[in-house]
Amino acid sequence: MAKSKPIGLAWRSSTLFIVSTVGIGLFTDLFLYGLVVPILPFILQDRVNLPKDQVQGHVSALLAAYAGASVLFSPPAGIIADRVATRQAPFLIGLVALLGATIMLSLGQSVPVLIVARVLQGTSAAVVWTIGLALVLDTVGPNNLGKTIGSIFGFISIGELAAPVLGGVIYKKAGYPGVFGMAFAILAVDFIMRLMLIEKKVAAQWDVAEEPGDDGEEHEGNAGEEEDANEEEPLLRKKEEGNYKVPEGQNKVVKGYPILFCLKDPRLLTALLLAFNQATLLAAFDATIPTQAEQLFGFDSLKSGLLFIALVLPYLLLGPVAGWMVDRYGPKPAAVLGFGYLVPVLILLRLARSGGTSQIVIFCVLLSLNGIGLAVIGSPSVVEASYVVQRYDKANPDFFGKHGPYAQLYGINSMVFSLGLTLGPLISGGLRESIGYGNMNAAIGMLCLVTSLLSFIFVGGKPRALRRRPPDSTMSALSTRVYGGVTVPNTPLITKALDLAKAHMKEPLYNHVVRSWLFGFIIADKAPPLQSRDREVHAIAAILHDLGWSTTPELVSADKRFEVDGADDARAFLQREAGDRFDVHRLQLVWDSIALHTTPSIALHKEPEVVATLFGIMTDFRGVEGAPMGLVTREEFNAVVRVAPRAGFKDGFRDVLTGLCRTKPDTTSDNFVADWGVKYVKGYSEDLAAHRTISLSGTGTGDVGLKAGSTNFFLMWI
């Protein structure tokens, strides 16, 4: 029986309502956190009857309980959220935890009860931030994430910055009932909104029309990525996918919590640093504005609270604009300029002196200038982190699962943000007491300067000025050696490739790849169109081109052609061993050279490295008489064979191909390998006419004028 359409489905599943619900949820979390902080000392004295000299230690313990719970439960919240069908259920559970915490805080009369309450409050924060940000991404998509996060952060900053002062004021005027009455009222609004929310993927079963501007999860990219967007971008992104591939053979921990693999990416680590420093700044203002206002102007809690308007108003007004700029131009400009801008305006806060109205105005103006900076840095962290993880998700959909690792990402983001909120008051308070308010802000400004520089280097990818140019792979730039009478490059990476091939291949097959490498160099160094090739790429592709023949289980898949296995293995090897010496383009050249080495009708129309790899392999099968364009002499051929003998290769080759027909026949039916199955493998009876989709006799002409012939340089050995 079909479910009836919910009342108000359209507006309950609208982008505005979902984003507003998340905003209210995050606001509630930060507001209730800050609301309780100023009255904790009074709760401990009035209800628990602690001696005054023990109050500060217990306040610190209660703050630590919140922070510890938030840090501890953020990652598990991300794992759970990525594995459940919808986000709403855990989003509601988080609120239930917060409700329980508030009740215990309002009634608790012992330290253990208060500690449990703060643990529940921290757990709620972990769940709400993790699920909330994931829900925002589900709803608006990455292309609108910046302005959405900017708007939300501008709104919730009111709760984070003003709640402590407001809590103190209300406690002074109305006592505990006033403070917790306001808390329960906000919780009621939050609960109603979360209960009414309908996620877009749930609403889709009733065919709700998508709103104009909704992007969902299908959009890719970032306007500021690498600052190179142009009409070639789709092709470049296709090649770039290799940089985000997760190599096979990950351990159980990474498989269970796959976001861990992404944490090796310096862009993601920098994005998390932005979140930490953003939270540290917010908490530092929260902790020091009231005390500085009291010292300079004799303000009480109410007047100190009003000062926060100067800081929050620019954040509230400019947050959406700054977020839109991040969506339009990418996170790098906002991160670099925002944190860079905060350096001087933080230092300028030392200008406010004790005095009357004029000094209060100066302090408010300086706070407003800092509020502008806070607005600019509000969204780059989340947008950059989401973009980087989206790249990994798109390149490895099976590894990260149906829903991707986004909630796991926001769990880590929540953990880092909570650390910033926890350490911010400790750092700023300690610095203010030891070196004074002006020097404290200068020290925090230096932290912003370092963050700005790191953002310039890593956020959105390295700038052109700092990108490492691909190494000059001409023979003059590489050390060389003479092997089998052939001058070849001699690099540590080539040596490692030889070791890898030798470790995972039988000797006759290993000798084949060595001969293919050397024959390819003989030919390519004589053919002008191939002389400009990347010689290190050519060498590694030739040496590793038959890793798909290995009997090592980790190197061989159950469902891919051996050429693809070899290409994937080579790419994983280079990602592991070469670091950033092999950029996206060089990785792709190696992959193409290996994947296409049995398909000359395509390979001959590819880059010189692909063609050179093919020519060396063809020569080893055809012999000296069949070398392309006759560029290998008998003397050169014999010199190569002396260092890499041919003994046992024909039988070894046949054993490999018949083994493929036995172990994964589905990968052989559309290519030349099937002929070995038909002739040598009992029971191998595929209907080749039905299964083959690619002709084995295609021809083509390469850039060096060779008639491609066919894959018969393999079939001639049958």
Side-chain angles (χ1 to χ4, degrees), residues 22 25-26 29 91 94-95 123-133 194:
V22 173
L26 300 182
D29 171 71
F91 204 38
L95 187 63
T123 304
S124 170
V127 173
V128 169
W129 280 85
T130 299
I131 306 299
L133 292 177
R194 294 196 205 189

Side-chain angles (χ1 to χ4, degrees), residues 40-42 44-45 50-61:
L40 283 177
F42 302 103
L44 290 169
Q45 291 181 71
L50 277 180
K52 195 169 183 179
D53 60 350
Q54 296 182 24
V55 169
Q56 182 59 57
H58 282 78
V59 168
S60 299

Side-chain angles (χ1 to χ4, degrees), residues 94-156:
L95 187 63
V96 171
L98 185 57
L99 176 62
T102 307
I103 292 173
M104 295 178 75
L105 285 170
S106 66
L107 301 176
Q109 296 185 355
S110 68
V111 171
V113 171
L114 296 179
I115 289 177
V116 172
R118 292 294 284 174
V119 168
L120 281 175
Q121 201 172 16
T123 304
S124 170
V127 173
V128 169
W129 280 85
T130 299
I131 306 299
L133 292 177
L135 189 54
V136 168
L137 181 62
D138 291 347
T139 303
V140 305
N143 284 1
N144 291 316
L145 190 60
K147 61 176 176 283
T148 305
I149 294 296
S151 301
I152 291 175
F153 272 54
F155 171 65
I156 66 176

Side-chain angles (χ1 to χ4, degrees), residues 503-644:
H504 295 285
M505 302 179 73
K506 295 180 179 179
E507 185 177 1
L509 306 181
Y510 171 74
N511 286 341
H512 158 65
V513 300
V514 171
R515 292 193 303 272
S516 299
W517 166 37
L518 300 178
F519 290 146
F521 265 75
I522 293 171
I523 295 169
D525 284 344
K526 294 179 182 179
L530 304 181
Q531 290 172 356
S532 63
R533 73 198 184 284
D534 184 325
R535 285 166 163 77
E536 190 173 37
V537 164
H538 175 195
I540 290 172
I543 292 166
L544 301 182
H545 81 267
D546 278 333
L547 273 183
W549 287 357
S550 172
T551 56
T552 305
E554 292 78 10
L555 298 180
V556 180
S557 71
D559 59 352
K560 297 185 183 75
R561 285 177 55 159
F562 76 84
E563 302 96 329
V564 176
D565 280 341
D568 287 346
D569 293 335
R571 178 167 57 195
F573 161 77
L574 290 169
Q575 289 175 328
R576 184 174 64 249
E577 300 291 345
D580 58 2
R581 287 193 63 249
F582 264 65
D583 59 15
V584 174
H585 179 62
R586 298 183 86 204
L587 284 172
Q588 192 65 44
L589 284 177
V590 171
W591 198 94
D592 288 351
S593 297
I594 296 174
L596 296 174
H597 79 266
T598 62
T599 315
S601 58
I602 297 176
L604 287 168
H605 299 281
K606 292 284 290 178
E607 294 85 352
E609 294 81 3
V610 181
V611 177
T613 301
L614 171 68
F615 281 177
I617 298 167
M618 291 173 65
T619 301
D620 196 44
F621 278 94
R622 290 179 168 179
V624 66
E625 293 81 5
M629 298 166 290
L631 291 177
V632 179
T633 67
R634 173 61 64 181
E635 291 74 17
E636 290 170 328
F637 187 90
N638 290 340
V640 169
V641 172
R642 277 194 291 271
V643 298

